[in-house]
Amino acid sequence: MRKLTQLVLFTAALIATPAFAEMKVAVLNYQMALLESDAAKRYAVDAEKKFGPQLNKLKTLESDAKRIQDRMVKDGDKMQQAERERLELEFKQKARDFQFQSKELNESKAIADREMLAKLKPNLDKAVEEVIKNGNFDLVLERGAVIDVKPQYDITRQVIERMNQMR
């Protein structure tokens, strides 16, 4: 609590100084700049094509398991023991397959996402650097650290446009 109080007092002192009044401040939503870039949008389309078939398999497994479960709930009392056991076994197998394939898909997607980020981050950093330099900003804050900001102080769109110009 004491550190928070010190930070608030320090920030208030900065704001009160004439030097701060002359500072050029901007806000940047770093994540949005990355995700809204043309390269990230292309990646999203490619990823959907690449991982779409696996996702469809998962949806099919899920609906099959749900169908079996609904049948067991609805007709379970009327079924013979052997039929009920067969359905339970089939349901468990579908659930295991779903979990395994879901984990596999998530891991594959996470690897692809990290590779995309590794490729795009240098361009994003360069675009941010250029926009800050061209705008002659003294201080740039992450959007998440700011409660509210006027649109003219947000440089996110400029960073996205600069990043889209890079090839």
Side-chain angles (χ1 to χ4, degrees):
M1 186 68 181
R2 185 171 181 211
K3 292 229 185 235
L4 179 62
T5 305
Q6 289 174 340
L7 180 64
V8 169
L9 289 175
F10 177 72
T11 304
L14 269 179
I15 292 172
T17 63
F20 186 79
E22 295 174 16
M23 287 182 74
K24 195 165 179 188
V25 179
V27 172
L28 171 65
N29 186 333
Y30 196 83
Q31 184 177 8
M32 181 180 162
L34 176 68
L35 296 177
E36 291 293 319
S37 69
D38 290 345
K41 289 178 181 177
R42 280 191 303 275
Y43 166 76
V45 169
D46 292 346
E48 191 173 319
K49 288 177 187 173
K50 180 179 179 182
F51 297 112
Q54 287 175 281
L55 189 58
N56 288 337
K57 281 184 189 178
L58 281 175
K59 287 179 183 177
T60 301
L61 275 172
E62 183 180 32
S63 65
D64 289 350
K66 176 91 171 104
R67 183 181 40 77
I68 292 168
Q69 187 178 35
D70 289 346
R71 183 169 173 220
M72 286 179 7
V73 168
K74 181 181 168 195
D75 300 331
D77 297 341
K78 303 171 197 167
M79 287 183 198
Q80 293 183 4
Q81 181 71 21
E83 176 69 8
R84 190 170 40 252
E85 288 174 359
R86 185 189 68 74
L87 282 176
E88 286 174 1
L89 185 63
E90 188 178 347
F91 175 78
K92 288 177 183 176
Q93 183 62 46
K94 298 265 185 210
R96 274 192 300 269
D97 288 348
F98 178 84
Q99 285 180 329
F100 176 76
Q101 289 183 24
S102 177
K103 182 180 177 189
E104 205 171 71
L105 175 62
N106 288 338
E107 288 172 356
S108 297
K109 181 86 169 69
I111 290 169
D113 289 351
R114 282 192 299 273
E115 289 172 356
M116 182 270 304
L117 182 61
K119 282 173 49 176
L120 294 183
K121 189 170 180 331
N123 282 350
L124 177 59
D125 290 342
K126 186 176 179 184
V128 168
E129 206 174 291
E130 289 178 12
V131 169
I132 290 171
K133 183 180 174 186
N134 292 342
N136 201 24
F137 294 104
D138 297 309
L139 178 66
V140 178
L141 301 170
E142 169 60 42
R143 179 64 180 103
V146 178
I147 294 171
D148 191 31
V149 65
K150 291 182 180 177
Q152 67 261 28
Y153 296 117
D154 191 337
I155 61 170
T156 305
R157 185 62 41 205
Q158 294 172 41
V159 170
I160 293 169
E161 289 169 5
R162 180 63 194 118
M163 196 172 166
N164 289 344
Q165 293 171 359
M166 296 178 179
R167 293 289 169 211

PDB file of all heavy atoms in Angstrom, residues 44-57:
ATOM      1  N   ALA A  44      -4.372 -15.766 -39.546  1.00  0.00           N
ATOM      2  CA  ALA A  44      -5.629 -16.291 -39.013  1.00  0.00           C
ATOM      3  C   ALA A  44      -6.382 -17.095 -40.074  1.00  0.00           C
ATOM      4  O   ALA A  44      -6.919 -18.170 -39.787  1.00  0.00           O
ATOM      5  CB  ALA A  44      -6.497 -15.159 -38.481  1.00  0.00           C
ATOM      6  N   VAL A  45      -6.397 -16.584 -41.295  1.00  0.00           N
ATOM      7  CA  VAL A  45      -7.070 -17.293 -42.392  1.00  0.00           C
ATOM      8  C   VAL A  45      -6.337 -18.606 -42.690  1.00  0.00           C
ATOM      9  O   VAL A  45      -6.960 -19.664 -42.839  1.00  0.00           O
ATOM     10  CB  VAL A  45      -7.146 -16.405 -43.659  1.00  0.00           C
ATOM     11  CG1 VAL A  45      -7.588 -17.200 -44.868  1.00  0.00           C
ATOM     12  CG2 VAL A  45      -8.078 -15.228 -43.417  1.00  0.00           C
ATOM     13  N   ASP A  46      -5.007 -18.537 -42.752  1.00  0.00           N
ATOM     14  CA  ASP A  46      -4.209 -19.747 -43.007  1.00  0.00           C
ATOM     15  C   ASP A  46      -4.382 -20.769 -41.890  1.00  0.00           C
ATOM     16  O   ASP A  46      -4.484 -21.970 -42.143  1.00  0.00           O
ATOM     17  CB  ASP A  46      -2.728 -19.392 -43.164  1.00  0.00           C
ATOM     18  CG  ASP A  46      -2.445 -18.588 -44.422  1.00  0.00           C
ATOM     19  OD1 ASP A  46      -3.328 -18.538 -45.305  1.00  0.00           O
ATOM     20  OD2 ASP A  46      -1.347 -17.989 -44.508  1.00  0.00           O
ATOM     21  N   ALA A  47      -4.421 -20.298 -40.653  1.00  0.00           N
ATOM     22  CA  ALA A  47      -4.583 -21.201 -39.512  1.00  0.00           C
ATOM     23  C   ALA A  47      -5.942 -21.874 -39.545  1.00  0.00           C
ATOM     24  O   ALA A  47      -6.072 -23.053 -39.216  1.00  0.00           O
ATOM     25  CB  ALA A  47      -4.390 -20.436 -38.206  1.00  0.00           C
ATOM     26  N   GLU A  48      -6.952 -21.114 -39.951  1.00  0.00           N
ATOM     27  CA  GLU A  48      -8.291 -21.696 -40.038  1.00  0.00           C
ATOM     28  C   GLU A  48      -8.320 -22.812 -41.083  1.00  0.00           C
ATOM     29  O   GLU A  48      -8.929 -23.857 -40.872  1.00  0.00           O
ATOM     30  CB  GLU A  48      -9.305 -20.608 -40.381  1.00  0.00           C
ATOM     31  CG  GLU A  48     -10.737 -21.048 -40.226  1.00  0.00           C
ATOM     32  CD  GLU A  48     -11.715 -19.905 -40.406  1.00  0.00           C
ATOM     33  OE1 GLU A  48     -11.450 -18.802 -39.921  1.00  0.00           O
ATOM     34  OE2 GLU A  48     -12.750 -20.143 -41.057  1.00  0.00           O
ATOM     35  N   LYS A  49      -7.651 -22.579 -42.207  1.00  0.00           N
ATOM     36  CA  LYS A  49      -7.578 -23.624 -43.240  1.00  0.00           C
ATOM     37  C   LYS A  49      -6.788 -24.827 -42.737  1.00  0.00           C
ATOM     38  O   LYS A  49      -7.172 -25.969 -42.961  1.00  0.00           O
ATOM     39  CB  LYS A  49      -6.913 -23.074 -44.497  1.00  0.00           C
ATOM     40  CG  LYS A  49      -7.753 -22.105 -45.271  1.00  0.00           C
ATOM     41  CD  LYS A  49      -6.983 -21.565 -46.467  1.00  0.00           C
ATOM     42  CE  LYS A  49      -7.732 -20.450 -47.170  1.00  0.00           C
ATOM     43  NZ  LYS A  49      -6.940 -19.811 -48.217  1.00  0.00           N
ATOM     44  N   LYS A  50      -5.684 -24.542 -42.064  1.00  0.00           N
ATOM     45  CA  LYS A  50      -4.794 -25.610 -41.596  1.00  0.00           C
ATOM     46  C   LYS A  50      -5.433 -26.448 -40.487  1.00  0.00           C
ATOM     47  O   LYS A  50      -5.342 -27.670 -40.496  1.00  0.00           O
ATOM     48  CB  LYS A  50      -3.478 -25.001 -41.097  1.00  0.00           C
ATOM     49  CG  LYS A  50      -2.479 -26.011 -40.588  1.00  0.00           C
ATOM     50  CD  LYS A  50      -1.195 -25.321 -40.148  1.00  0.00           C
ATOM     51  CE  LYS A  50      -0.194 -26.327 -39.609  1.00  0.00           C
ATOM     52  NZ  LYS A  50       1.030 -25.664 -39.141  1.00  0.00           N
ATOM     53  N   PHE A  51      -6.067 -25.777 -39.520  1.00  0.00           N
ATOM     54  CA  PHE A  51      -6.595 -26.482 -38.353  1.00  0.00           C
ATOM     55  C   PHE A  51      -8.092 -26.772 -38.455  1.00  0.00           C
ATOM     56  O   PHE A  51      -8.650 -27.445 -37.586  1.00  0.00           O
ATOM     57  CB  PHE A  51      -6.309 -25.679 -37.081  1.00  0.00           C
ATOM     58  CG  PHE A  51      -4.839 -25.520 -36.799  1.00  0.00           C
ATOM     59  CD1 PHE A  51      -4.239 -24.271 -36.888  1.00  0.00           C
ATOM     60  CD2 PHE A  51      -4.058 -26.604 -36.471  1.00  0.00           C
ATOM     61  CE1 PHE A  51      -2.882 -24.108 -36.635  1.00  0.00           C
ATOM     62  CE2 PHE A  51      -2.703 -26.465 -36.213  1.00  0.00           C
ATOM     63  CZ  PHE A  51      -2.107 -25.214 -36.304  1.00  0.00           C
ATOM     64  N   GLY A  52      -8.738 -26.306 -39.512  1.00  0.00           N
ATOM     65  CA  GLY A  52     -10.163 -26.523 -39.694  1.00  0.00           C
ATOM     66  C   GLY A  52     -10.586 -27.985 -39.694  1.00  0.00           C
ATOM     67  O   GLY A  52     -11.539 -28.355 -38.993  1.00  0.00           O
ATOM     68  N   PRO A  53      -9.883 -28.846 -40.461  1.00  0.00           N
ATOM     69  CA  PRO A  53     -10.278 -30.258 -40.457  1.00  0.00           C
ATOM     70  C   PRO A  53     -10.198 -30.907 -39.072  1.00  0.00           C
ATOM     71  O   PRO A  53     -11.083 -31.673 -38.692  1.00  0.00           O
ATOM     72  CB  PRO A  53      -9.278 -30.910 -41.420  1.00  0.00           C
ATOM     73  CG  PRO A  53      -8.857 -29.797 -42.323  1.00  0.00           C
ATOM     74  CD  PRO A  53      -8.869 -28.571 -41.467  1.00  0.00           C
ATOM     75  N   GLN A  54      -9.169 -30.568 -38.309  1.00  0.00           N
ATOM     76  CA  GLN A  54      -9.050 -31.121 -36.959  1.00  0.00           C
ATOM     77  C   GLN A  54     -10.189 -30.614 -36.071  1.00  0.00           C
ATOM     78  O   GLN A  54     -10.735 -31.373 -35.271  1.00  0.00           O
ATOM     79  CB  GLN A  54      -7.707 -30.727 -36.335  1.00  0.00           C
ATOM     80  CG  GLN A  54      -6.521 -31.473 -36.914  1.00  0.00           C
ATOM     81  CD  GLN A  54      -5.213 -30.956 -36.335  1.00  0.00           C
ATOM     82  OE1 GLN A  54      -4.726 -29.918 -36.763  1.00  0.00           O
ATOM     83  NE2 GLN A  54      -4.687 -31.669 -35.368  1.00  0.00           N
ATOM     84  N   LEU A  55     -10.529 -29.356 -36.228  1.00  0.00           N
ATOM     85  CA  LEU A  55     -11.617 -28.781 -35.447  1.00  0.00           C
ATOM     86  C   LEU A  55     -12.944 -29.446 -35.807  1.00  0.00           C
ATOM     87  O   LEU A  55     -13.767 -29.731 -34.926  1.00  0.00           O
ATOM     88  CB  LEU A  55     -11.691 -27.272 -35.677  1.00  0.00           C
ATOM     89  CG  LEU A  55     -12.632 -26.491 -34.787  1.00  0.00           C
ATOM     90  CD1 LEU A  55     -12.275 -26.678 -33.318  1.00  0.00           C
ATOM     91  CD2 LEU A  55     -12.588 -25.025 -35.153  1.00  0.00           C
ATOM     92  N   ASN A  56     -13.148 -29.732 -37.087  1.00  0.00           N
ATOM     93  CA  ASN A  56     -14.369 -30.428 -37.517  1.00  0.00           C
ATOM     94  C   ASN A  56     -14.443 -31.826 -36.930  1.00  0.00           C
ATOM     95  O   ASN A  56     -15.520 -32.282 -36.531  1.00  0.00           O
ATOM     96  CB  ASN A  56     -14.453 -30.474 -39.040  1.00  0.00           C
ATOM     97  CG  ASN A  56     -14.764 -29.110 -39.630  1.00  0.00           C
ATOM     98  OD1 ASN A  56     -15.316 -28.235 -38.958  1.00  0.00           O
ATOM     99  ND2 ASN A  56     -14.393 -28.908 -40.884  1.00  0.00           N
ATOM    100  N   LYS A  57     -13.304 -32.522 -36.864  1.00  0.00           N
ATOM    101  CA  LYS A  57     -13.274 -33.855 -36.241  1.00  0.00           C
ATOM    102  C   LYS A  57     -13.683 -33.768 -34.778  1.00  0.00           C
ATOM    103  O   LYS A  57     -14.427 -34.614 -34.285  1.00  0.00           O
ATOM    104  CB  LYS A  57     -11.874 -34.470 -36.332  1.00  0.00           C
ATOM    105  CG  LYS A  57     -11.521 -35.077 -37.649  1.00  0.00           C
ATOM    106  CD  LYS A  57     -10.147 -35.732 -37.552  1.00  0.00           C
ATOM    107  CE  LYS A  57      -9.628 -36.165 -38.888  1.00  0.00           C
ATOM    108  NZ  LYS A  57      -8.273 -36.747 -38.796  1.00  0.00           N
TER     109      LYS A  57
END
